[in-house]
Amino acid sequence: MELSNARKKELRTIAHNLNPIIMIAEKGVTEAIEKELERALEDHELIKIKININDPAMRKTIASELCAKHKAALVQSIGKVAVICRKAKKPNPKLSNLLRPV
C-alpha cells in the first residue's frame, strides 16, 4: 500500500492526537501482538505502535516487517513510535480513526 505525500500529511495530522495501541518490548513481535495488530487495523484503520527497543535499526525493521505482513502502509516513524494505516474491508464509523471527526 503506497501513500502520496499529501495523504501521509493528512494521516499524520489525524494521528497526532492518538495514543499508541500496541506496545512491542524486548520479546519482540509475538503471536498475541500479531492478532492484536490485525484487530486494531481492522477496527481503527490508523494506529500508533510503540516499539520499546533501544536499537533504531531494529525498530525500523520491525515496523517495516509488520507493515509488509499486514498489508499496511508506514505513515510515519519518529523515535520509538510508528504510525501505520490500512483501509478496513468494512469500516465502523464509531471506531475508525479515518471516519471520525477530528
Side-chain angles (χ1 to χ4, degrees):
M1 182 176 171
E2 284 295 317
L3 300 172
S4 68
N5 287 337
R7 183 65 177 151
K8 283 184 181 181
K9 186 175 180 181
E10 291 172 19
L11 294 174
R12 285 193 306 263
T13 303
I14 296 169
H16 180 73
N17 295 321
L18 300 178
N19 292 321
I21 291 180
I22 303 210
M23 308 261 184
I24 300 172
E26 297 300 321
K27 289 184 179 180
V29 180
T30 63
E31 188 177 326
I33 289 175
E34 293 279 351
K35 287 180 182 177
E36 183 60 21
L37 179 64
E38 187 63 32
R39 185 210 55 82
L41 282 171
E42 197 57 38
D43 287 348
H44 302 292
E45 297 182 291
L46 179 70
I47 61 170
K48 275 187 181 177
I49 301 172
K50 182 158 187 176
I51 305 171
N52 206 8
I53 297 174
N54 289 329
D55 182 18
M58 187 63 151
R59 287 194 303 259
K60 192 170 203 151
T61 303
I62 289 173
S64 297
E65 288 175 359
L66 288 174
C67 288
K69 189 169 187 178
H70 293 276
K71 296 181 178 81
L74 182 64
V75 176
Q76 181 179 30
S77 180
I78 296 178
K80 294 183 178 183
V81 177
V83 177
I84 64 173
C85 178
R86 183 183 76 191
K87 202 78 168 129
K89 293 171 188 128
K90 291 183 181 179
N92 182 342
K94 293 181 181 178
L95 295 176
S96 174
N97 290 320
L98 299 179
L99 299 177
R100 283 189 291 162
V102 179

